Amino acid sequence: MVYFRIEMGLGHSPKKKECNATNAMNLDGMSFAMAEAERMQKQARHKTAANYLTAARSLSRFLDNSKWRFADITAAMLQCYQRWLCNRGVRLNTVSAYMRS
């Protein structure tokens, strides 16, 4: 899902109206999540905004770092994150929601 978000949302340049996936990979993930949540709030998509922030905070706790970049996310890291969530008692529906966000 990270790839999908990069292609659809990250790295968008309002001036050039284009998406630059290379620049997107170097974005601070938490800052991006906060900006996306703000954008969702403006569209009255409050639950989506809350889901983005909750998922980003969870990933930040897992990494013990709030300055993670999308370039740092690998399939192996996501598998470890999923196991970490499950070991903490997080239900599979919630794990799935975090992975999609």
Side-chain angles (χ1 to χ4, degrees):
M1 283 314 212
V2 172
Y3 179 76
F4 176 77
R5 292 297 304 158
I6 288 171
E7 288 298 314
M8 299 307 290
L10 295 177
H12 181 265
S13 171
K15 293 179 183 175
K16 295 181 182 179
K17 298 201 184 243
E18 64 185 35
C19 187
N20 184 336
T22 302
N23 290 338
M25 293 299 287
N26 292 315
L27 287 176
D28 174 316
M30 193 63 190
S31 296
F32 174 76
M34 290 173 19
E36 281 294 290
E38 184 177 325
R39 190 172 69 84
M40 292 295 107
Q41 289 282 6
K42 289 178 183 176
Q43 295 176 10
R45 297 174 63 190
H46 307 292
K47 185 65 173 170
T48 301
N51 288 344
Y52 285 172
L53 291 176
T54 301
R57 282 192 298 265
S58 172
L59 183 61
S60 293
R61 276 192 301 276
F62 167 72
L63 296 171
D64 197 27
N65 181 1
S66 63
K67 297 292 184 188
W68 51 271
R69 298 174 314 130
F70 285 94
D72 299 332
I73 298 175
T74 65
M77 191 272 302
L78 288 176
Q79 288 176 337
C80 289
Y81 175 53
Q82 183 175 358
R83 280 193 301 274
W84 180 81
L85 289 169
C86 290
N87 289 338
R88 293 175 56 101
V90 176
R91 299 288 184 178
L92 288 179
N93 277 350
T94 303
V95 171
S96 177
Y98 285 2
M99 296 300 217
R100 286 191 311 269
S101 295

